[in-house]
Amino acid sequence: QVQLVESGGGLVQAGGSLRLSCAASGSTTSINVIGWYRQVPGKERELVADISRGGNTKYADSVKGRFTISRDNAKNTVYLQMNSLKPEDTAVYYCNARASSLPWSPTLSYWGQGTQVTVSS
């Protein structure tokens, strides 16, 4: 019921910036939280940042002060502005949405296809 498409990944030098986009479609009014996760091969997927319907945000300690998550409700799009990038930020970044049509309905989770971010040293 919800489709997510990520874009904006690429190759940058350490200290550079990128902005990732997550475009949502389908039953977008049912989305409660959208988050950005990242994963390196052989390691667990970790939360980078998320934003709730009410605008509350959460960040991993490793990206606080460098990354900013934001939204454009009119475009059904969430962004991740990444500044001061480090080689350890290299990963595939995934968009995730948690959605439910009613407060008492089950919450479903949806994932995008991922976008590669590579930071050179």
Side-chain angles (χ1 to χ4, degrees):
Q1 292 182 309
V2 175
Q3 296 80 45
L4 304 172
V5 179
E6 302 100 329
S7 62
L11 173 64
V12 297
Q13 293 180 279
S17 299
L18 283 174
R19 189 181 74 163
L20 305 183
S21 299
C22 174
S25 61
S27 301
T28 57
T29 56
S30 69
I31 297 174
N32 297 315
V33 181
I34 290 184
W36 285 98
Y37 292 73
R38 66 187 181 187
Q39 186 170 31
V40 176
K43 294 186 177 295
E44 65 183 10
R45 189 171 298 184
E46 64 176 353
L47 174 68
V48 177
D50 65 24
I51 184 167
S52 71
R53 177 180 293 274
N56 298 115
T57 58
K58 181 192 302 180
Y59 296 93
D61 289 341
S62 60
V63 306
K64 286 181 179 177
R66 299 189 297 122
F67 292 8
T68 302
I69 189 168
S70 62
R71 67 188 180 192
D72 185 335
N73 290 334
K75 295 182 178 180
N76 289 319
T77 300
V78 172
Y79 304 95
L80 184 68
Q81 179 66 47
M82 305 187 294
N83 298 326
S84 302
L85 283 162
K86 304 175 181 179
E88 50 262 45
D89 294 318
T90 295
V92 176
Y93 284 70
Y94 296 90
C95 186
N96 171 264
R98 292 191 280 113
S100 62
S101 58
L102 294 169
W104 53 89
S105 297
T107 298
L108 302 178
S109 183
Y110 302 88
W111 292 93
Q113 82 288 349
T115 185
Q116 176 71 47
V117 172
T118 302
V119 184
S120 64
S121 59

